[in-house]
Amino acid sequence: MRQSLLLRASAAVIALATAAPILSAQQKCPATEAGKTMPLKYHGGPTVAAITACDLMTRLYIYSDDSLRGREAGTPDAMRATTYIEGQVKRLGLVPGGDHGTYFQALSVTARSVDPASTLTVGKTIFHVNKDFAAAGAAATKKVSGDAVFGGTAGDTTHQLTADQARGKIVVMLPGAGGAGRGGFGRGGRGGGGGAANNPLADAAAIVTVESTLAPARTQFTLNDTVQSEGSAAYQAAHPAPAGAAGRGGRGGRGGGAGGGAVNLTVTPRVAAALLGKSASSAMLGDKGVAATIDVRERVVAAPTRNVIGIIPGTDPQLKKEYIVIGAHADHIGVSAARPVAEHDSLKAYNEVARVEGADTRNAPEPTAEEWTRINAIKDSLRKIYPARKDSISNGADDDGSGSVSILEIAEAFQKGAVKPKRSLIFIWQMGEEKGLWGSQWFTNHPTISRDSIVADLNMDMVGRGAATDITGRSKDNAELSGAPNYLQLVGSRRLSTELGDIAEDVDKTEPVPFKFDYSMDANGHPQNIYCRSDHANYARYGIPVIFFTTGGHADYHQVTDEPQYIQYEHMAAVDRLVFDIAVKVGDLDHRVLVDKTKPDSPFARCQQ
């Protein structure tokens, strides 16, 4: 039996490998033309049954276009992105796998923002939010009144007010070197101060930092999952000591900021002058100002957010009741809040040399003279290809536009091709991974199929790079990793099932050009904790075997420069064919993938690599 299954799987590999070159030859696109300049905009032709680089290019230029504004979960941009995916899976004829016979699974999300009615009043003058001031920190509705006092420069602990001087006051401060006081309805817990006992500003009514340019607070989105809540019956039953396990990534509390419970604002110099009766730049520590009232109001509304789910039923009457999940996350981080807006080519060139891991770069030194020469040379070369442009949209072409279009491509290959696994395939585009693995958390807590019927999760997150020039991460001992033509990272493939990891290795050997798997990022205790940072982690917490496929990091990670013209489409197509073939092998096994490793004690415990 095992031999016949292996022959069938091998035949499927050969059939797809044979079909791909034929269909690829019928397509022409810049992705397959050596030395071809990749365009900023591209409109490709119809997609085909085989997994091809041109198909992927066509899809990704749509899915990571500026018009979707970075697909931030909870925003209309992400809703439009999922509408595109729904249209694709409907066109392919996948069976709806969402709520009430639809392709969508709704997540319960709320959006917290500063109400435009918020004001700051000095005498008879009323100042308005987002024009004269911006609310900072995770401020809730709060109204405070007090006299203004000048508190010096933020972060200067040698010249600061005493606790008595600050108590009940509106403390006006100049920004420190790090831009203290900036913030928004962002992720909590990032305030300074070290707690009330060591913070003379802890009992201030408000902390007001003067900035020449206001950065309006970002909306903060919250997933309301009662199953995941520490107070829920399910949580308590499965995890009797909740104090020992904080929530999973991305769900920080409402952090305090420099003033503990104080209202935190940034204000224009004009507002600061009204508060102090003089310019802040001319004030002395302890100078008293006038009375003022700050009325910050929080607006909380529902924020429509959804996964997209489509199913290809299996061919075996019994095994079709079991499912292989092939997933990716549909969202990215939206429009950059950075000020000033970046000049694209300059940022691209700088990161390629000085911040080679993008947002994962830590403590990078100032570039040397030789490095500045390289930065300028890269910038000049880019300027010869593309027009200079300002950029504020984090398009997420690789993260995770690459995974999103890859599972579309794989779904089309299964739906239109001759290879049909015995087990069912469930394709899921999970929304809100960037917020804390929301979509996969919601699906695994509120599955639209029996959770016990899921035999494996194949997760694709950032599968569009991996070139030799990409720094794809660091080993546990901090050595730089780099890509290669046959480069692919596997994470978690043997953490629950030795057999699933072996299947990946065996199938890879049958590929036309086998990959060289890099397991460096999967090391136990790795400081980057990659195993816990993508959607597969929510399946693994329920004991479902997983493989996380990724070509790793690069200088464009979580940057506005993560755009489709930098994607390695041929490489991505090869990754997709591998995942297709692994799904065939797992789908046709005469038994469920064997779980031979210890499952998590609780699905609600903190993930730790």
Side-chain angles (χ1 to χ4, degrees), residues 445-494:
N445 283 350
H446 310 271
T448 58
I449 57 173
S450 168
R451 188 188 301 117
D452 291 340
S453 69
I454 302 173
V455 302
D457 171 57
L458 307 179
N459 178 43
M460 305 182 73
D461 190 352
M462 297 177 63
V463 292
R465 297 289 291 266
T469 52
D470 287 326
I471 301 303
T472 59
R474 291 178 180 272
S475 66
K476 188 176 177 179
D477 59 5
N478 205 38
E480 283 188 351
L481 308 173
S482 57
N486 61 342
Y487 183 84
L488 184 63
Q489 291 181 10
L490 262 57
V491 177
S493 59
R494 289 190 175 91

Side-chain angles (χ1 to χ4, degrees), residues 179-378:
R182 295 176 187 262
F185 275 63
R187 298 184 180 181
R190 295 193 180 187
N198 302 311
N199 181 8
L201 304 183
D203 295 325
I207 309 297
V208 173
T209 307
V210 187
E211 295 280 2
S212 57
T213 302
L214 296 178
R218 289 179 66 91
T219 299
Q220 177 170 308
F221 299 95
T222 303
L223 179 67
N224 310 301
D225 188 350
T226 56
V227 172
Q228 194 81 356
S229 167
E230 290 188 3
S232 72
Y235 187 102
Q236 295 288 356
H239 191 81
R248 301 175 76 83
R251 291 196 301 278
R254 296 188 180 191
V263 175
N264 281 264
L265 307 180
T266 52
V267 302
T268 64
R270 174 171 169 259
V271 175
L275 287 166
L276 295 172
K278 65 178 74 172
S279 68
S281 60
S282 65
M284 303 293 289
L285 183 69
D287 280 356
K288 296 179 180 179
V290 299
T293 297
I294 298 171
D295 185 5
V296 174
R297 304 179 188 181
E298 179 186 42
R299 181 165 60 180
V300 181
V301 297
T305 307
R306 59 199 183 187
N307 294 330
V308 185
I309 308 172
I311 297 171
I312 297 179
T315 58
D316 184 272
Q318 291 303 314
L319 293 180
K320 70 186 296 183
K321 299 174 185 177
E322 298 178 354
Y323 294 84
I324 300 164
V325 173
I326 304 177
H329 71 87
D331 63 311
H332 194 51
I333 60 174
V335 180
S336 173
R339 298 292 187 273
V341 173
E343 198 284 312
H344 184 98
D345 293 340
S346 296
L347 180 63
K348 173 73 173 172
Y350 185 88
N351 286 351
E352 289 288 343
V353 175
R355 300 182 76 245
V356 294
E357 295 177 78
D360 264 354
T361 301
R362 300 289 182 267
N363 303 316
E366 181 69 18
T368 64
E370 186 273 333
E371 287 173 332
W372 274 116
T373 299
R374 288 170 52 206
I375 290 168
N376 287 325
I378 294 171

Side-chain angles (χ1 to χ4, degrees), residues 99-122:
D99 300 328
H100 313 298
T102 72
Y103 291 104
F104 295 127
Q105 181 188 37
L107 283 60
S108 178
V109 174
T110 53
R112 297 171 54 229
S113 60
V114 182
D115 194 303
S118 300
T119 58
L120 189 161
T121 304
V122 182

Side-chain angles (χ1 to χ4, degrees), residues 58 88 91 161 184 207 257 291 308 348 389 392 418 433 436 452 461 505 511 526 590 593:
T58 294
Q88 292 292 300
R91 178 181 65 82
L161 299 177
I207 309 297
V308 185
K348 173 73 173 172
R389 58 194 170 104
S392 63
E433 187 266 3
D452 291 340
D461 190 352
E505 293 274 5
E511 297 297 291
H526 195 293
D590 61 357
V593 171

